[in-house]
Amino acid sequence: MVEMENIKVAQGHNKVLVIGGGLGGIRTALDLAESEKDVILVDKAYAVGGLMTQLDRTFPTNNCDLCTLSPNLSESGRKQHIELLTMTSVSGVRGEKGNFTVSLETAPRYINMDKCTACGECYKHFPECVRFTPGLDHRAPTCMRYPQATPQAFSVDLEKCTDINALIKICPAGAISPDDMGRRREVRCGSIVLSAGAALFDPSGLDYLGYSAEPDVVTNLEYERIMSASGPTMGQLVRPSNGKQPKKIAWIQCVGSRGLQKGAAPYCSSACCMIALKEAIVTKERFQNDIETAIFYMDMRTFGKDYELYLNRAKNKHGVRLIRSRPHSILRANNQDGLRLSYTTDDAGEMKNEDFDMVVLSTGFKIADDVRELSLKMGLTLNASGFAMTEEFSPVETSKSGIYVCGMSESPKDIPDTMVQASAAACMAGKDLEVSVKDPDGDLPPERDVTDEALRIGVFICDCGENIGGVLDVAKIAEYSQSLPNVVIAEPQGHGCSRQSMEQIQKSIIENKLNRVVIGGCSPRTHEAKFQEVIRRAGLNKFLVEIANIRDQATWVHAHLPEKATQKAQDLIRMAVGAVAEAHPLKEHNIPINKDVLVVGGGVTGMTTALRLADQGYKVYIAEKSDSLGGLGKVLHSTLSGVEVRPFVNDLIDKTKANANIQVILRAIIVDHSGMPGMFKTGMQTGPQMFYRTIQHGVTILATGAVANRPKQYLLGESEAVGTQLETDALLADAPETVKNWDNVVMIQCVGSRVPENPNCSRICCQSAIKNALRIRKLNPDGRIFVLYRDMRTYGFQEEYYLEARKQGVIFVRYSLDQLPKVEAAGNQVNVTFTDPILGRELMVTADRLCLSTGLAADEDSTEDLARIFKLPRTSDGFFLEDHVKLRPVDLPVPGFYVAGTAHSPKTIRESITQAQAVASRAQTLLARDSINLGAAVVRVDSNKCAACLICVRVCPFDVPFINADGYSEIDPAKCHGCGLCAAECPAKAIQLMQFEDDRIVAKLEQLFERMVG
Amino acid sequence: MENFEPVIVAFCCHYCAYTAADMAGSQRLTYPANIKIIRVPCSGKVDAIHIIKAFEKGADGVYVAGCLDGDCHFKNGNNRASRRVEYVQKYLDEIGIGGERLEMVKMSAGMGYLFAKIASEMTEKIRKLGPSPVRPLTVQASQPTAS
Amino acid sequence: MITAERKPLEELIEFVRPFKRILLVGCNECVTVCSAGGRKEVGLLASGLKMALLQSGNTIEIREHTLERQCDPEYIDELLPMIDGVDAVMSMACGCGVQEVARRYKNMPVFPAVNTKFMGASERPGVWAERCQGCGNCLLGVTGGICPIARCSKRLMNGPCGGSVTGKCEISQDVDCAWQLIWDRLKELGLEDQYLKIIPAKDWRTAGGGGPRKIIREDLTA
């Protein structure tokens, strides 16, 4: 029997089992591994990656997913702390938190993964052995699910294979192993994370949508496959019916969500609006005016951070048509080529017919049957739709102690929210383990001394799917690169950051005895470290690589001018080749890490993060600018699900104060900050006397919250009858008698949000309106409640409360920006006038109470100061800007800084708690190390040239250089920040900044103009 | 000179301008291909010599792009860069190339649109100024047969 | 330190215009410290000259070299291998360096690239101010450590003139009155009496009035 994954599963229980190797599971596993904790990651598929690997691109960056995901995947294939078990399912779980025993069943792969080189010969000759293909075509070009598959191996479907001996013979590596029997085993673990993902609603049963009958009606996932470069059409957008390019495409939202169709889920699937917008934008980007796009929707739910801007971009820049309507039917018109959609809109009384070439159904997410079964087997309490239930303020804890849930298994959500929850689950699951002993660094080969070698440069060009390869001819670029001086080998590398390509590059370096490497690919900001690792594994010093950013700086920005993009890509590569010739081996510097944590902000988020980290033994300082803990959480009384907030917040405050590892500093105003991750120093003025003190810490967490928005509108602050939802929440708790007497209540949504001054959605207002409407209803069942809204954005399970409110007779009336409601004072009441779009008439309600859904706004005063002191970027509306919207949603771009809660963007308490836990996990990935790597980008002084002029001493922003006893400038590499100011001003040219030496910069300039001269 | 395509070197600091350029890419903003970016850790790292060498090698325009005031990752590198750029502008006037071919710009990491806008404006400006008085001569000097 | 400032480029262009190949020599001492003629300025000037000349159709080859010190013959010998084949030398050192290069390479035209200004100190980064005129007979011991020769516009020896207003010299509001400074400092030191003592008329022969000066240390002479 062959052990497929060739991993000996250790029998200790001090590890976390992660079920599901989608994006969420990978994030959880990586967070735990980086925090030096052991993980078993199981996935029933042949390779990890989950649903995301089937998407073409993801919003809002419109990156190709493979590129953003693959660095994570290859990492997860590599990390020492992770045991990856693919084709493996969980058949049973016994035991309790701290000591679970889990039965695993691994299906046979029939390929020895140690031998398989993924050459593809087996597939070429026996394509019928394909077991799984995503998307449309069951005969996809490869049986690997996508080019960056981890683990890197094929799998064989023995049942479909007619001539096994021939198959065995065809494999040059001798990897085919028909005797493979799979295996069962038991593993022990301390805690479990369920991140099994979601399945998609199957629209086959809905005749009127024509999915079963019409090939040109596809689901959104199928559309992704059609658009994907690795999909069945190799990225050609064609109609399945006739292979021609469509001219007009419609999207239909809420298929299988919001309880609309037979068998549909009652909840909102949360991500489909953005997915449809993304698909429409990407389609428009590719085909411009050659294609028309229209989205038929009920409510456009772009509630995430900056998503409203994305919606505006779709509408205004790309001309995506948005039609608020639920089409009645999709039929193929008689003898017609197109599909006829019949629908009505608010303003038109009669049915409209419009023909489209393709229709995309935005199918919602649901829990797969096997996941539901597994959850029940594990003893989890599930809601009616099969999602694992959690308490309001314990967002990732299932009903069973020691088992946590994240991603779609908890509720439908998009990638950023999944990533946040995955980190939160890592934090909570990791808490149940004992601290494990650290493994030494992997066994790297010794570094080859290249100082006396003649230059041998290798150039590897990524096509990055369509991103580069779609604009220019990668093979030609490689050919061109081959002609450059000192270049020994130049070749296209597909997705250079894929595991396979990285291994090939590594091999090529060794085989061709390369001593310098140039990657033509994406940004060194994101990928330099990856390629440095690759060349280090090939025995080269990691600083002998240059990256030419031919994606971000050429193909992405000059996509419409392929010739110029090609020319520029060649220029950039030539510059990199010239520069890498000047690169020298460098040594990195390490210093011990300070493991204390500074949390700025003592609200629910700050306290939650602090407690999670304090639990793990870290000392935490909470700097709170007001004179008490609790933040906005102290003001709020009830959540949508009816849970009281106050007891929770008070309990949190008590726990925080009682924790010996937490020091709370009240009335703390941060005034200065210096240092680097692992050794920060922050100065603050504290207490009533404003004493100055400094704190030394290793990481900084911003949990500074947001403020309740109060725009001067609709008589807010002028009439007693007008208040915000937050004030209404307080009245409901403190003065129910008053509320009882409200016979007419009007609520206006999006006050101060989704307007030109503040274009973003405030996310929380729709649910708080529903929450207050239901509570008012309870107190006064006969009163009338009008909610004036633009789009009701009750995402996820909130939708069920929205349905409940409708059922209870709350009246929802839509208004638009060009027809705002009008409010006039009328004694103790206010007259609210609005237009009913269906009646097409103006109505007036004399309201006892007008509740304005004003949402949250960034706390401009404090975030501006903090952004300046900490050097952090903010969004245009003043929230802190995370490092990567999708993959690093709580990491800030400055290393060692994290953000959580409403300082990141508006969100509910539950969501803030999730982020707080996520941040605790992310912080641990840094704190778990003993030393930090300062890199090698520091300056060096040539004492022979130094004139001891003092210019470096004076110019250094960090006071590092000094004139030593020998009379020369000395700059401590452990303290140098690597800015290079001294190097730029040294009049004797005695100082060079490593990696940015003058020779290297001048080489780039020389090479840039080589073309013109030569 | 109607078809004159200037070559413009943009020295971009890693933390703001270079990130903004990446941002412009991920937002698929377009800007002229004439702009060639050289990454530096801080705009204050851009030596006067680098700027002068860029012109000597044949650049028609150069700009140094750093962080917004007060946002420099290294405290004040961007302001030192501004002052240095002013100094080099005067030297370019002396040389006869003209200080207006050199600029200092500042942007934050999130300002992909500004990066694209500045790239377009700079290209237009240099296009109007025409080729650097040094460039064609450089080409001729090195390759008399070049057209 | 001896301070200097690069000459206007126009003037330098005229110096080198007749030549095809020159050697540009910097000095790693004073002129480096005052950012006028170190390795970096040599690089900047070489590029600037080449580009300026190109515009009138002239090409010039410029070899660059920076000496540890341009006022010592042994260092200047270093230039020997480089000087072969050049038409002229341009020195970025102070006047001493220029002359020493000229003395060593007799057949070579030598041009100054900087204007040597004064012996001065660095008041703050980027600002150098005159402190000494090398009069050969130092008075600082009696003037509170402030030199009336270098810092008084009129080189007055016994107190300020009538142009001293609120501590500033009448030639410019930017110039401190040296005698005000001297008085303030003597007062601080409790040496007001010193101020009342008359300093006799200065013998300017030591300041060069007696012809070019020389120092000889016999024990060190070769």
Side-chain angles (χ1 to χ4, degrees):
Chain A
M1 192 182 84
V2 178
E3 275 191 27
M4 282 130 298
E5 312 296 347
N6 197 33
I7 289 167
K8 287 183 203 78
V9 177
Q11 286 308 300
H13 65 271
N14 198 32
K15 59 181 63 152
V16 179
L17 175 77
V18 178
I19 304 173
L23 206 46
I26 292 172
R27 179 78 271 156
T28 304
L30 286 173
D31 265 20
L32 287 164
E34 283 169 30
S35 309
E36 309 292 348
K37 286 169 177 135
D38 291 332
V39 185
I40 304 173
L41 176 61
V42 300
D43 196 306
K44 60 177 198 269
Y46 313 108
V48 295
L51 206 51
M52 187 189 182
T53 57
Q54 297 174 50
L55 306 179
D56 173 41
R57 282 145 202 264
T58 59
F59 58 80
T61 47
N62 290 3
N63 264 346
C64 121
D65 273 316
L66 298 172
C67 325
T68 33
L69 182 56
S70 64
N72 280 2
L73 286 179
S74 17
E75 250 178 85
S76 81
R78 215 170 44 222
K79 283 276 171 196
Q80 295 170 37
H81 291 284
I82 301 175
E83 293 167 12
L84 174 62
L85 304 176
T86 48
M87 299 178 75
T88 300
S89 52
V90 177
S91 52
V93 175
R94 300 193 310 276
E96 300 297 324
K97 173 163 119 179
N99 196 2
F100 288 107
T101 303
V102 182
S103 314
L104 302 176
E105 279 180 26
T106 303
R109 188 185 282 271
Y110 304 113
I111 284 184
N112 183 337
M113 305 247 302
D114 282 348
K115 293 183 182 166
C116 175
T117 61
C119 65
E121 281 297 308
C122 54
Y123 173 71
K124 214 158 81 189
H125 293 88
F126 298 95
E128 68 276 10
C129 297
V130 175
R131 218 193 263 267
F132 172 88
T133 52
L136 286 177
D137 190 348
H138 292 270
R139 298 170 63 85
T142 163
C143 64
M144 281 191 299
R145 289 175 61 181
Y146 53 98
Q148 286 85 346
T150 301
Q152 182 62 59
F154 281 63
S155 69
V156 173
D157 188 345
L158 217 52
E159 280 170 22
K160 289 189 182 146
C161 199
T162 46
D163 187 350
I164 294 164
N165 284 332
L167 179 65
I168 292 173
K169 270 194 202 134
I170 208 76
C171 176
I176 308 289
S177 153
D179 303 334
D180 193 350
M181 297 170 67
R183 69 180 280 192
R184 283 163 200 250
R185 68 190 115 186
E186 288 197 334
V187 295
R188 292 164 69 206
C189 59
S191 54
I192 298 172
V193 175
L194 176 67
S195 67
L200 288 149
F201 177 77
D202 177 5
S204 311
L206 305 172
D207 299 345
Y208 69 98
L209 292 175
Y211 177 70
S212 309
E214 293 298 339
D216 291 339
V217 178
V218 298
T219 67
N220 45 1
L221 190 64
E222 286 165 347
Y223 190 74
E224 297 274 351
R225 295 311 301 152
I226 296 175
M227 293 288 276
S228 168
S230 64
T233 58
M234 304 299 278
Q236 299 294 314
L237 174 57
V238 291
R239 297 172 60 182
S241 66
N242 60 9
K244 286 187 194 151
Q245 190 180 311
K247 296 265 174 228
K248 202 170 169 189
I249 306 180
W251 277 258
I252 297 177
Q253 298 304 102
C254 303
V255 176
S257 305
R258 300 186 65 181
L260 282 178
Q261 302 91 355
K262 193 171 62 182
Y267 49 81
C268 159
S269 284
S270 296
C272 327
C273 283
M274 281 297 281
I275 294 174
L277 286 171
K278 171 200 69 183
E279 289 171 351
I281 288 178
V282 170
T283 305
K284 286 297 272 187
E285 274 177 346
R286 269 178 65 179
F287 302 103
Q288 314 278 334
N289 293 330
D290 295 344
I291 211 157
E292 271 182 63
T293 54
I295 300 176
F296 291 85
Y297 71 102
M298 296 164 58
D299 292 285
M300 192 40 77
R301 292 188 169 170
T302 48
F303 53 86
K305 186 176 186 176
D306 280 352
Y307 286 3
E308 190 76 10
L309 307 179
Y310 195 79
L311 168 63
N312 293 340
R313 202 167 115 200
K315 257 192 313 201
N316 305 332
K317 184 177 166 195
H318 296 287
V320 175
R321 264 170 73 205
L322 299 172
I323 303 154
R324 185 188 297 269
S325 172
R326 278 156 45 189
H328 164 274
S329 59
I330 302 169
L331 292 169
R332 188 171 290 271
N334 284 345
N335 297 327
Q336 290 293 310
D337 194 23
L339 297 161
R340 177 153 298 173
L341 259 71
S342 306
Y343 64 97
T344 57
T345 52
D346 286 347
D347 47 6
E350 61 211 40
M351 192 77 86
K352 291 182 188 172
N353 287 315
E354 190 171 345
D355 290 349
F356 290 88
D357 296 334
M358 265 180 95
V359 175
V360 182
L361 305 179
S362 291
T363 49
F365 303 109
K366 61 171 195 176
I367 291 291
D369 292 342
D370 61 333
V371 174
R372 187 195 288 250
E373 206 175 295
L374 171 63
S375 306
L376 290 172
K377 238 187 255 175
M378 291 197 292
L380 310 186
T381 309
L382 307 180
N383 73 6
S385 305
F387 292 89
M389 300 256 286
T390 57
E391 296 286 329
E392 177 75 23
F393 298 130
S394 307
V396 298
E397 294 168 59
T398 68
S399 57
K400 188 158 169 70
S401 180
I403 301 185
Y404 305 91
V405 62
C406 71
M408 295 267 209
S409 294
E410 185 270 335
S411 69
K413 57 176 67 68
D414 65 8
I415 294 171
D417 282 352
T418 296
M419 296 301 267
V420 170
Q421 246 188 0
S423 284
C427 165
M428 300 307 286
K431 203 161 64 76
D432 297 343
L433 304 190
E434 296 146 27
V435 176
S436 61
V437 184
K438 196 181 284 190
D439 285 336
D441 251 10
D443 38 357
L444 289 169
E447 262 183 40
R448 207 172 91 211
D449 182 8
V450 300
T451 34
D452 295 329
E453 292 179 13
L455 286 172
R456 293 181 67 82
I457 301 174
V459 183
F460 303 95
I461 316 286
C462 306
D463 64 30
C464 202
E466 283 286 298
N467 285 293
I468 294 171
V471 175
L472 46 76
D473 183 345
V474 172
K476 269 203 183 133
I477 298 277
E479 204 176 293
Y480 168 81
S481 309
Q482 185 81 58
S483 72
L484 295 171
N486 303 317
V487 172
V488 176
I489 182 161
E491 51 193 28
Q493 239 345 311
H495 289 268
C497 55
S498 70
R499 194 182 155 91
Q500 180 188 8
S501 294
M502 296 219 265
E503 275 166 14
Q504 272 171 18
I505 293 170
Q506 193 181 328
K507 227 168 100 189
S508 176
I509 293 170
I510 297 166
E511 280 171 5
N512 296 299
K513 294 196 175 57
L514 303 179
N515 50 26
R516 303 285 190 286
V517 173
V518 168
I519 307 288
C522 60
S523 178
R525 282 175 53 249
T526 51
H527 280 67
E528 187 173 57
K530 286 262 160 309
F531 290 110
Q532 286 181 336
E533 265 180 60
V534 172
I535 75 158
R536 179 63 195 86
R537 281 204 302 276
L540 286 181
N541 179 282
K542 65 188 248 191
F543 296 99
L544 299 174
V545 61
E546 270 275 343
I547 298 187
N549 191 349
I550 62 172
R551 186 188 72 181
D552 302 38
Q553 290 174 18
T555 55
W556 271 1
V557 288
H558 314 308
H560 57 302
L561 300 168
E563 247 173 61
K564 290 204 165 168
T566 303
Q567 186 70 70
K568 185 163 173 185
Q570 289 180 354
D571 290 346
L572 294 175
I573 286 165
R574 198 175 56 247
M575 288 163 78
V577 168
V580 85
E582 302 290 339
H584 305 289
L586 299 172
K587 208 173 144 277
E588 291 180 287
H589 304 273
N590 290 288
I591 53 156
I593 198 166
N594 178 324
K595 300 206 176 197
D596 296 349
V597 178
L598 173 63
V599 176
V600 186
V604 168
T605 307
M607 288 189 287
T608 305
T609 302
L611 282 166
R612 292 292 78 79
L613 287 166
D615 286 348
Q616 293 285 298
Y618 298 109
K619 180 161 180 55
V620 184
Y621 299 92
I622 299 182
E624 163 60 41
K625 75 171 176 183
S626 77
D627 57 5
S628 65
L629 293 171
L632 260 187
K634 274 192 314 194
V635 188
L636 200 65
H637 290 80
S638 169
T639 67
L640 177 60
S641 60
V643 178
E644 288 209 38
V645 179
R646 289 233 164 133
F648 164 72
V649 175
N650 288 335
D651 181 52
L652 203 56
I653 292 173
D654 291 345
K655 279 182 183 152
T656 303
K657 284 182 178 163
N659 194 306
N661 278 340
I662 300 179
Q663 190 185 43
V664 178
I665 306 163
L666 296 175
R667 297 195 196 179
I669 310 289
I670 309 281
V671 290
D672 59 57
H673 174 80
S674 62
M676 57 179 64
M679 48 182 287
F680 288 128
K681 203 159 99 186
T682 300
M684 55 189 86
Q685 286 176 321
T686 65
Q689 263 78 47
M690 287 283 140
F691 285 126
Y692 178 81
R693 67 177 286 189
T694 57
I695 284 170
Q696 309 217 359
H697 52 108
V699 301
T700 316
I701 292 168
L702 293 174
T704 52
V707 293
N709 196 7
R710 282 186 72 84
K712 284 213 181 317
Q713 221 180 335
Y714 299 128
L715 303 181
L716 182 60
E718 291 171 44
S719 165
E720 287 209 4
V722 183
T724 63
Q725 294 288 8
L726 201 59
E727 288 157 356
T728 307
D729 170 86
L731 282 175
L732 277 158
D734 301 336
E737 291 310 310
T738 314
V739 176
K740 248 184 204 168
N741 294 325
W742 293 345
D743 289 329
N744 281 313
V745 175
V746 178
M747 298 184 175
I748 303 179
Q749 300 303 103
C750 301
V751 178
S753 310
R754 301 182 65 199
V755 289
E757 310 86 80
N758 177 26
N760 266 309
C761 165
S762 214
R763 186 174 180 128
I764 58 164
C765 324
C766 282
Q767 61 96 30
S768 61
I770 300 287
K771 169 186 78 177
N772 287 341
L774 286 171
R775 285 159 80 200
I776 294 168
R777 200 100 201 123
K778 207 178 245 176
L779 287 169
N780 181 7
D782 301 325
R784 289 197 297 174
I785 305 174
F786 299 85
V787 179
L788 310 183
Y789 72 101
R790 290 171 59 198
D791 290 280
M792 281 311 287
R793 294 184 167 174
T794 44
Y795 54 93
F797 300 139
Q798 293 173 6
E799 179 71 10
E800 296 173 37
Y801 293 91
Y802 175 40
L803 284 177
E804 180 60 29
R806 292 196 94 115
K807 234 181 255 170
Q808 291 191 17
V810 177
I811 301 158
F812 291 85
V813 183
R814 200 160 47 75
Y815 75 90
S816 62
L817 263 188
D818 43 16
Q819 271 186 322
L820 291 177
K822 287 189 267 304
V823 178
E824 284 163 345
N828 289 336
Q829 299 166 307
V830 285
N831 288 332
V832 184
T833 313
F834 52 90
T835 306
D836 186 305
I838 296 169
L839 301 175
R841 277 181 46 194
E842 269 204 350
L843 301 177
M844 190 184 83
V845 175
T846 302
D848 302 298
R849 177 71 177 179
L850 173 62
C851 307
L852 301 180
S853 292
T854 49
L856 294 174
D859 186 354
E860 273 292 334
D861 287 347
S862 67
T863 56
E864 193 180 350
D865 284 347
L866 290 172
R868 183 177 43 78
I869 293 167
F870 291 133
K871 311 264 176 268
L872 298 170
R874 294 187 302 157
T875 58
S876 51
D877 46 357
F879 294 99
F880 290 110
L881 179 63
E882 61 272 32
D883 189 35
H884 191 291
V885 184
K886 303 198 76 73
L887 300 179
R888 287 158 63 81
V890 296
D891 293 51
L892 288 165
V894 180
F897 277 84
Y898 306 91
V899 63
T902 49
H904 165 275
S905 67
K907 52 180 63 68
T908 64
I909 295 186
R910 181 180 162 90
E911 289 163 344
S912 292
I913 293 169
T914 314
Q915 272 198 339
Q917 293 171 346
V919 150
S921 173
R922 299 297 303 146
Q924 283 179 60
T925 62
L926 202 148
L927 295 170
R929 298 182 228 160
D930 288 327
S931 64
I932 50 170
N933 186 323
L934 299 176
V938 294
V939 297
R940 269 189 209 162
V941 182
D942 180 346
S943 60
N944 287 322
K945 289 182 176 170
C946 176
C949 69
L950 289 166
I951 283 182
C952 55
V953 177
R954 291 168 182 158
V955 80
C956 177
F958 308 100
D959 295 331
V960 181
F962 65 99
I963 304 298
N964 66 16
D966 294 330
Y968 302 114
S969 164
E970 187 171 318
I971 301 178
D972 183 353
K975 292 185 185 153
C976 174
H977 286 51
C979 63
L981 288 189
C982 55
E985 300 211 355
C986 174
K989 294 270 89 200
I991 306 178
Q992 291 291 337
L993 176 63
M994 297 303 105
Q995 291 187 269
F996 296 94
E997 301 89 345
D998 288 327
D999 290 350
R1000 220 153 149 175
I1001 290 176
V1002 172
K1004 282 189 183 172
L1005 290 169
E1006 261 164 12
Q1007 291 304 321
L1008 171 58
F1009 296 102
E1010 182 71 13
R1011 167 165 60 94
M1012 297 165 46
V1013 176
Chain B
M1 280 307 148
E2 268 176 22
N3 296 324
F4 165 56
E5 285 298 341
V7 180
I8 296 164
V9 175
F11 290 102
C12 292
C13 82
H14 177 90
Y15 289 93
C16 292
Y18 193 90
T19 310
D22 279 358
M23 188 76 87
S26 60
Q27 293 174 345
R28 306 299 193 281
L29 305 172
T30 57
Y31 57 83
N34 310 60
I35 304 294
K36 318 286 171 176
I37 294 171
I38 292 182
R39 184 169 66 110
V40 285
C42 174
S43 54
K45 165 72 182 79
V46 180
D47 197 318
I49 288 191
H50 301 152
I51 300 171
I52 292 297
K53 285 277 177 203
F55 283 107
E56 189 185 336
K57 301 291 173 198
D60 299 298
V62 173
Y63 63 96
V64 178
C67 305
L68 295 176
D69 282 339
D71 280 357
C72 174
H73 190 72
F74 303 106
K75 296 188 182 177
N76 62 347
N78 53 350
N79 292 327
R80 298 205 77 92
S82 296
R83 301 219 303 266
R84 197 174 306 140
V85 162
E86 280 173 37
Y87 177 81
V88 177
Q89 280 171 334
K90 286 183 207 145
Y91 190 40
L92 288 172
D93 282 336
E94 273 196 278
I95 295 171
I97 288 173
E100 67 277 12
R101 290 183 185 271
L102 170 65
E103 266 189 41
M104 176 78 202
V105 297
K106 292 176 181 173
M107 64 189 76
S108 79
M111 295 177 169
Y113 67 92
L114 187 63
F115 183 89
K117 185 166 168 264
I118 286 171
S120 305
E121 287 172 358
M122 190 69 187
T123 308
E124 264 329 290
K125 177 179 163 183
I126 301 297
R127 210 191 290 278
K128 277 198 191 112
L129 285 172
S132 153
V134 176
R135 177 169 89 144
L137 297 165
T138 314
V139 178
Q140 261 176 18
S142 318
Q143 189 95 351
T145 52
S147 56
Chain C
M1 130 189 68
I2 296 168
T3 62
E5 241 180 349
R6 180 173 53 76
K7 282 176 174 288
L9 197 64
E10 220 176 333
E11 191 181 336
L12 300 178
I13 293 165
E14 291 316 309
F15 282 150
V16 299
R17 192 182 291 284
F19 306 111
K20 283 276 158 239
R21 197 176 289 133
I22 68 159
L23 174 63
L24 185 59
V25 189
C27 172
N28 207 32
E29 290 281 354
C30 310
V31 288
T32 293
V33 179
C34 69
S35 291
R39 213 165 271 109
K40 175 177 183 151
E41 296 299 318
V42 167
L44 280 171
L45 180 59
S47 289
L49 281 174
K50 277 187 246 178
M51 287 192 275
L53 282 165
L54 263 179
Q55 290 170 67
S56 50
N58 296 356
T59 52
I60 186 167
E61 184 194 327
I62 301 180
R63 296 181 187 170
E64 301 171 31
H65 191 71
T66 297
L67 296 173
E68 181 58 37
R69 191 156 58 241
Q70 227 181 98
C71 46
D72 273 310
E74 291 88 340
Y75 287 123
I76 296 171
D77 282 345
E78 256 179 49
L79 297 177
L80 195 58
M82 279 160 271
I83 213 148
D84 194 33
V86 303
D87 309 321
V89 174
M90 179 170 275
S91 164
M92 297 201 82
C94 66
C96 316
V98 180
Q99 293 179 58
E100 283 308 285
V101 172
R103 183 165 75 96
R104 170 69 181 73
Y105 301 104
K106 293 198 165 39
N107 301 324
M108 191 60 60
V110 177
F111 301 97
V114 302
N115 291 322
T116 307
K117 304 293 276 249
F118 49 78
M119 283 181 273
S122 171
E123 267 187 353
R124 54 192 167 89
V127 178
W128 295 273
E130 182 161 19
R131 290 287 183 268
C132 177
Q133 293 187 348
C135 71
N137 187 7
C138 192
L139 285 172
L140 289 167
V142 295
T143 58
I146 290 150
C147 178
I149 297 165
R151 300 173 72 177
C152 168
S153 306
K154 291 178 172 167
R155 295 181 175 180
L156 295 179
M157 291 294 161
N158 289 289
C161 68
S164 174
V165 180
T166 61
K168 297 290 174 190
C169 174
E170 67 183 331
I171 66 152
S172 162
Q173 277 297 301
D174 298 333
V175 177
D176 289 322
C177 168
W179 277 104
Q180 180 74 47
L181 296 175
I182 292 168
W183 168 247
D184 289 346
R185 181 150 157 83
L186 288 175
K187 210 165 61 174
E188 205 143 290
L189 293 168
L191 297 171
E192 290 96 329
D193 292 352
Q194 186 82 52
Y195 180 68
L196 296 174
K197 286 187 191 152
I198 301 289
I199 298 173
K202 175 126 181 118
D203 178 354
W204 291 99
R205 278 174 302 182
T206 58
R213 294 169 285 174
K214 206 173 251 186
I215 299 169
I216 298 169
R217 267 284 297 267
E218 272 160 2
D219 55 333
L220 298 177
T221 53

